[in-house]
Amino acid sequence: PPKTAPSAGMNFKGAGDNSFLTTANQLTQQNALEKAAQDLIKKHQKMENAVQQHHEANKPVYIRGKEGSRGNNEEDEVELPDDDDLLDGYDDSNDIEQWRAARLQQMKAEQEKKAENVGKGHGDLREIVETEFLKEVTGSEFVVCHFYHDEFIRSKVMDKHLRMIAPQHLEAKFIRINAEKAPFFVDKLVIKVLPTVIFFKDGVAIDRLIGFEGLGAADDFATGTLERRIKKTGILKGPCAFPFGEEDEDDYDSD
């Protein structure tokens, strides 16, 4: 079972109040370009659906001939406009160019966001100290923070997996902090078992992983198991980069 964090020199009792984090700056990401691209796609889909419906509803109609016209059993075909007539004069080249331009701008914005996140320390599992904690947690929208102990084997196992996941998910910041050297936040966050991994969104703790809870019965769980556990919190937005472990099959849907 997970080891209990040492209490020497630290008070591990607390009310579990995370309100000190609620004053963090709220970070929002604008999606105007993406919305514009989606609107254009919907417009083209709507047009294609209309053409398809017209085609289905206006197949050649055959009317039984009336007596005295072409004979009792003869059929007269009624000709209706075809798809070319329906689209005659329609020019969507401007819409296509607008969609391409919007998509290029969206891709550029995504690359700029990745570069910005790398500048904030995303892409690696970084060590921080207690005086840096608030700045680091509130400086990015999504943060994964591992409270560890140097002498605990399970803390080292957790570090190994987090170091593998961090470069694959630049949308989140991965940090680690020595619990023995961060008594204030250990107390405030009511951390009693190590390792403990806390997940932050906009500076607010939204979930935590205590020990290896939910990662399988053994200590040699797959990296993909931890990755999917983090993804369930909403912290990771990109697709999973690591394969399922056997312990995942009953708990997670395939990505």
Side-chain angles (χ1 to χ4, degrees):
K3 296 184 179 181
T4 301
S7 58
M10 289 190 286
N11 178 14
F12 284 90
K13 296 181 179 179
D17 182 13
N18 292 334
S19 61
F20 72 101
L21 294 174
T22 59
T23 57
N25 294 327
Q26 300 296 310
L27 303 177
T28 58
Q29 181 176 1
Q30 299 298 326
N31 295 317
L33 291 175
E34 182 177 357
K35 184 177 184 302
Q38 292 296 331
D39 288 344
L40 285 172
I41 292 173
K42 290 179 181 178
K43 180 178 179 180
H44 285 289
Q45 289 177 339
K46 185 176 181 181
M47 183 199 73
E48 291 173 0
N49 291 338
V51 171
Q52 182 64 26
Q53 291 173 5
H54 171 83
H55 182 72
E56 294 294 330
N58 295 283
K59 290 180 179 179
V61 177
Y62 297 91
I63 304 175
R64 301 295 297 181
K66 294 183 179 179
E67 185 177 356
S69 58
R70 293 186 182 180
N72 293 337
N73 296 324
E74 192 171 348
E75 297 176 341
D76 296 335
E77 181 177 345
V78 178
E79 295 184 0
L80 296 171
D82 59 18
D83 293 345
D84 291 336
D85 294 333
L86 183 65
L87 295 175
D88 186 29
Y90 179 79
D91 181 7
D92 64 350
S93 59
N94 290 335
D95 286 345
I96 293 175
E97 289 303 318
Q98 290 176 9
W99 182 87
R100 287 175 178 169
R103 178 57 182 154
L104 287 173
Q105 290 180 2
Q106 180 186 10
M107 293 173 63
K108 181 180 178 181
E110 290 173 353
Q111 291 301 317
E112 290 175 348
K113 182 64 176 178
K114 287 183 179 179
E116 177 186 348
N117 285 340
V118 170
K120 293 179 179 179
H122 295 215
D124 193 13
L125 178 64
R126 294 186 299 107
E127 177 87 15
I128 66 168
V129 296
E130 188 171 50
T131 55
E132 300 171 322
F133 181 81
L134 279 179
K135 179 182 177 182
E136 292 287 350
V137 167
T138 60
S140 296
E141 183 177 6
F142 302 114
V143 178
V144 178
C145 183
H146 174 208
F147 284 82
Y148 73 91
H149 190 284
D150 273 332
E151 297 179 1
F152 289 3
I153 297 298
R154 283 195 163 189
S155 288
K156 300 180 188 300
V157 172
M158 184 65 71
D159 278 342
K160 179 190 74 172
H161 291 295
L162 291 177
R163 283 196 177 95
M164 295 175 67
I165 296 172
Q168 305 299 325
H169 292 279
L170 297 181
E171 68 271 25
K173 177 189 291 181
F174 287 75
I175 54 179
R176 65 195 295 265
I177 186 169
N178 190 327
E180 285 190 309
K181 298 180 180 179
F184 177 79
F185 292 108
V186 164
D187 181 46
K188 284 293 182 180
L189 294 170
V190 197
I191 296 173
K192 297 182 178 180
V193 175
L194 297 177
T196 287
V197 181
I198 300 185
F199 309 103
F200 295 88
K201 183 179 186 300
D202 294 330
V204 178
I206 60 171
D207 197 0
R208 66 177 60 198
L209 173 61
I210 301 174
F212 290 174
E213 188 177 66
L215 299 179
D219 287 1
D220 58 346
F221 58 86
T223 301
T225 303
L226 177 59
E227 182 184 29
R228 284 162 177 79
R229 170 63 179 87
I230 300 174
K231 192 173 178 64
K232 286 180 66 177
T233 68
I235 293 295
L236 303 184
K237 300 301 181 182
C240 289
F242 298 93
F244 284 109
E246 293 182 0
E247 63 273 22
D248 297 313
E249 294 178 356
D250 296 332
D251 298 327
Y252 299 93
D253 294 329
S254 174
D255 290 299

